[in-house]
Amino acid sequence: MHKRFLLFSLSVLLGAIAFSLLESPSASAASPIKVSFFSRLARRHSLGAACWTPLAEPGSVIASRRHSKPSLAEFVASTRRADPPTVTGVFVCNVLALRVEQQPADAPVFVSEEYNTATQSLLATDYGTIGLLAHNHLAGSKFFDLANGQEVDLVYGDGTIRRYAVSEIRHFQALDPDNPYSDFGDLDHGGVSLSSARVFEQLFGAGNRVVFQTCITANGNPSWGRLFVIATPVADNP
């Protein structure tokens, strides 16, 4: 029974972005993002540093969009609310500054259509993991710029910051993209086939981590694969 529930949980979580993207009217108009497994060099900063996210690079699919460049302190202030237990933002120096929206209790496949917003997965929370979901034509495009060693600041409603560091980046191909129960090819380990339950166990089962998730577009298929960026806590968290 536990294995069956685990498999169901994974299929919902891994399929959330892919299938809501296919149903989204804006998805068909978005330019495909090239499959790329190269990340920027890791950058470090102190919690009080004046660090910001840059404008989109010329020629990129988001070059026409313009963003403010908040410092970490300004970003924390902008996401502060009166609900301390709730994650309200995620900040990575010179890469991203995203508001975090919670999934509705009755919508486990919901993923925000707002550009600078990630969605926190309810199913991942059940396993003690902060799962941050985003479409790859929106905020998820920035997940490809994360690198091993990169520092990730998770911001809570009362202004508390918990710091993580990227420890692993994983890439998978959905072997049957139209099937929510698809097995996955592990692209970082020779394409070895793994069941949905095994992928879920590896990525979310350990708990006490942040996992960024978005789709990899290839061959004209927006649900061709999945990118997961895993960050684990640093020692000086409050």
Side-chain angles (χ1 to χ4, degrees):
M1 178 66 70
H2 174 71
K3 184 175 181 181
R4 186 179 302 171
F5 175 74
L6 191 64
L7 180 60
F8 173 74
S9 298
L10 176 66
S11 67
V12 173
L13 181 56
L14 296 192
I17 293 178
F19 289 93
S20 58
L21 176 59
L22 289 173
E23 294 171 0
S24 168
S26 61
S28 60
S31 300
I33 296 174
K34 292 182 179 179
V35 178
S36 175
F37 302 152
F38 297 97
S39 298
R40 296 178 180 173
L41 295 176
R43 302 174 178 87
R44 300 183 181 280
H45 66 287
S46 66
L47 286 176
C51 188
W52 57 81
T53 55
L55 294 176
E57 297 175 0
S60 75
V61 295
I62 56 172
S64 63
R65 305 177 192 271
R66 292 294 181 263
H67 311 288
S68 60
K69 299 189 293 186
S71 68
L72 177 56
E74 290 169 337
F75 177 70
V76 170
S78 72
T79 58
R80 191 171 186 132
R81 298 206 304 264
D83 46 0
T86 303
V87 177
T88 55
V90 61
F91 185 97
V92 180
C93 178
N94 293 330
V95 177
L96 57 82
L98 303 178
R99 186 175 67 87
V100 173
E101 181 176 348
Q102 309 300 310
Q103 279 185 331
D106 58 348
V109 299
F110 171 80
V111 180
S112 175
E113 292 291 338
E114 297 295 322
Y115 180 74
N116 271 334
T117 302
T119 301
Q120 183 175 356
S121 165
L122 286 175
L123 286 172
T125 303
D126 290 341
Y127 292 86
T129 294
I130 305 296
L132 300 179
L133 317 176
H135 294 305
N136 63 5
H137 67 290
L138 298 173
S141 65
K142 298 180 181 181
F143 296 175
F144 291 89
D145 291 332
L146 295 169
N148 281 317
Q150 191 82 53
E151 293 173 337
V152 175
D153 293 321
L154 207 63
V155 181
Y156 288 79
D158 63 349
T160 297
I161 299 171
R162 293 190 180 275
R163 175 157 288 182
Y164 298 75
V166 175
S167 57
E168 191 176 8
I169 300 175
R170 303 290 300 275
H171 312 84
F172 293 88
Q173 178 184 358
L175 300 182
D176 185 2
D178 295 326
N179 180 0
Y181 297 94
S182 173
D183 287 345
F184 290 84
D186 187 342
L187 300 178
D188 303 307
H189 297 89
V192 62
S193 179
L194 297 174
S195 68
S196 295
R198 182 60 178 160
V199 175
F200 183 85
E201 180 183 355
Q202 288 185 6
L203 298 172
F204 298 96
N208 196 27
R209 54 175 52 186
V210 175
V211 179
F212 297 87
Q213 177 189 337
T214 193
C215 282
I216 298 171
T217 296
N219 302 327
N221 189 335
S223 60
W224 180 90
R226 308 290 187 274
L227 170 74
F228 299 92
V229 180
I230 300 167
T232 50
V234 300
D236 58 349
N237 270 329

